[in-house]
Amino acid sequence: MSHNHIGVGRRVLDIEARAVDALKDSLDDSFSAACDLMLGARGRVIVTGMGKSGHVGSKLAATLASTGTPAFFVHPGEASHGDLGMITTDDVVLALSNSGETAEVLAILPVIKRKGTALIGMTGRPQSALAQLSDVHLTVAVSEEACPHNLAPTSSTTAALAMGDALAIALLEARGFTPEDFAMSHPGGSLGRRLLLKVDDIMHAGERLPVVASGTPLSEALLEMTRKGLGMTAIARDDGTLAGIFTDGDLRRMLDRDIDIRKASIDEVMVAQPITIEPGHLAAEALQIMETRKINGLMVCDKNHKPLGAFNMQDLLRAGVV
């Protein structure tokens, strides 16, 4: 027996896409009120839900927490056995239930109301018990589930997930949450490395910095480059400021100029006024400069143009910036 898997998949996606699209018309002052409650909370947003709504709620709590709104998920069953102690009057509870009649969720509402904790309900039935008991209600009703029997939570969970994302991003923008703020919550990921790592963290400094004095014979400069292994060296004036830079690439180009390596001075072949970057800049900025200028290394200089460090593309690769 053959099955039209692709056709079924497309039908499901069409149904769920319509469900999400219909949410736009349901957004009203209640959405703004929900955002204001969460923004004004002195505590955290406590998300709760049972079954599939619980899975959606757990994801939503994680999204809120990673985008600037302190939040965590509390299982309503566990809440009835002690975890309600996690909820304070300074918090806002966001309860998810498609039917609005989930017994485990309704069981904890009296305590939430008694504490005076603000309650936002997200259901598919505005006349349900949860909706009526909520300070703010968000409707996520769908016309049909993608399940052919109209039973398995599919469109309804997608709608709830999309509404949760809408809340999280509305709060993100209201807080002025930046990519750098996001990276602070994700220091172990590639985004965190790209956004938090500074050139100071990866540069070769002190004894590891390749540098020779102006007037140094080219042969000695090449030895310094070999010792430090960065494929370049800085050339410093008597006052310590950067006079120029010499790289492996410059050496290859120099060989076409018929220059005697044994007799030439580094000043004759160096690149004067090279591209540099000051400390404190992000490594991602340095990468952008290097890619734009098509260079493999970069000197870090202070405001007085004195070399402090150097790094190359391999250092960026090792740091996970590239």
Side-chain angles (χ1 to χ4, degrees):
M1 182 182 297
S2 62
H3 295 278
N4 184 8
H5 301 305
I6 294 176
V8 172
R10 287 174 175 166
R11 187 190 73 226
V12 169
L13 293 176
D14 283 339
I15 293 172
E16 298 204 12
R18 287 196 298 269
V20 172
D21 190 60
L23 288 180
K24 292 186 294 185
D25 295 330
S26 72
L27 290 188
D28 53 20
D29 291 342
S30 294
F31 184 82
S32 295
C35 290
D36 289 339
L37 273 179
M38 289 189 279
L39 281 170
R42 290 180 294 176
R44 291 171 169 78
V45 175
I46 313 300
V47 187
T48 190
M50 194 71 187
K52 302 298 187 295
S53 292
H55 294 310
V56 172
S58 181
K59 186 271 179 188
L60 175 53
T63 299
L64 287 168
S66 69
T67 52
T69 299
F72 61 87
F73 178 79
V74 171
H75 191 285
E78 297 295 335
S80 293
H81 296 276
D83 283 1
L84 269 175
M86 298 179 180
I87 303 174
T88 72
T89 56
D90 292 333
D91 299 326
V92 172
V93 172
L94 174 59
L96 282 68
S97 169
N98 186 47
S99 69
E101 304 291 348
T102 305
E104 292 86 350
V105 174
L106 295 182
I108 65 176
L109 295 190
V111 178
I112 292 172
K113 302 300 286 187
R114 184 175 178 178
K115 287 187 176 191
T117 304
L119 174 63
I120 301 170
M122 186 186 296
T123 82
R125 296 178 59 229
Q127 303 306 316
S128 64
L130 175 57
Q132 295 300 308
L133 290 168
S134 298
D135 297 299
V136 176
H137 177 250
L138 297 174
T139 301
V140 286
V142 297
S143 59
E144 62 177 321
E145 297 286 6
C147 165
H149 309 299
N150 201 34
L151 295 173
T154 45
S155 300
S156 57
T157 50
T158 300
L161 187 63
M163 182 65 81
D165 286 343
L167 286 171
I169 301 307
L171 295 173
L172 176 153
E173 293 195 6
R175 295 180 190 280
F177 197 74
T178 66
E180 287 74 19
D181 295 325
F182 187 87
M184 291 295 289
S185 301
H186 302 74
S190 60
L191 179 63
R193 288 192 295 274
R194 287 181 62 86
L195 293 178
L196 295 179
L197 201 68
K198 292 182 169 58
V199 294
D200 314 51
D201 301 319
I202 60 172
M203 70 182 187
H204 299 247
E207 292 298 319
R208 299 168 62 213
L209 172 65
V211 58
V212 297
S214 180
T216 296
L218 174 57
S219 57
E220 291 184 22
L222 294 177
L223 290 175
E224 174 71 356
M225 290 169 61
T226 301
R227 282 193 296 267
K228 302 301 172 64
L230 274 183
M232 61 181 172
T233 184
I235 297 91
R237 301 185 181 92
D238 292 340
D239 61 1
T241 59
L242 185 68
I245 188 174
F246 187 75
T247 69
D248 286 340
D250 296 322
L251 175 60
R252 289 190 294 272
R253 287 184 288 272
M254 184 202 73
L255 295 176
D256 294 332
R257 295 166 52 193
D258 195 27
I259 295 177
D260 191 336
I261 294 177
R262 294 168 297 179
K263 297 180 179 179
S265 163
I266 191 63
D267 301 62
E268 299 175 47
V269 293
M270 71 179 185
V271 175
Q273 299 181 328
I275 302 162
T276 63
I277 192 169
E278 290 187 2
H281 282 268
L282 295 173
E285 294 179 76
L287 174 62
Q288 195 274 333
I289 292 172
M290 293 166 69
E291 289 179 336
T292 301
R293 300 300 185 97
K294 294 181 172 55
I295 56 177
N296 190 54
L298 203 57
M299 285 287 166
V300 181
C301 295
D302 63 17
K303 293 185 181 299
N304 297 317
H305 212 54
K306 293 184 178 180
L308 301 175
F311 58 91
N312 59 23
M313 194 64 76
Q314 290 299 315
D315 295 314
L316 294 175
L317 282 166
R318 280 191 291 270
V321 179
V322 179

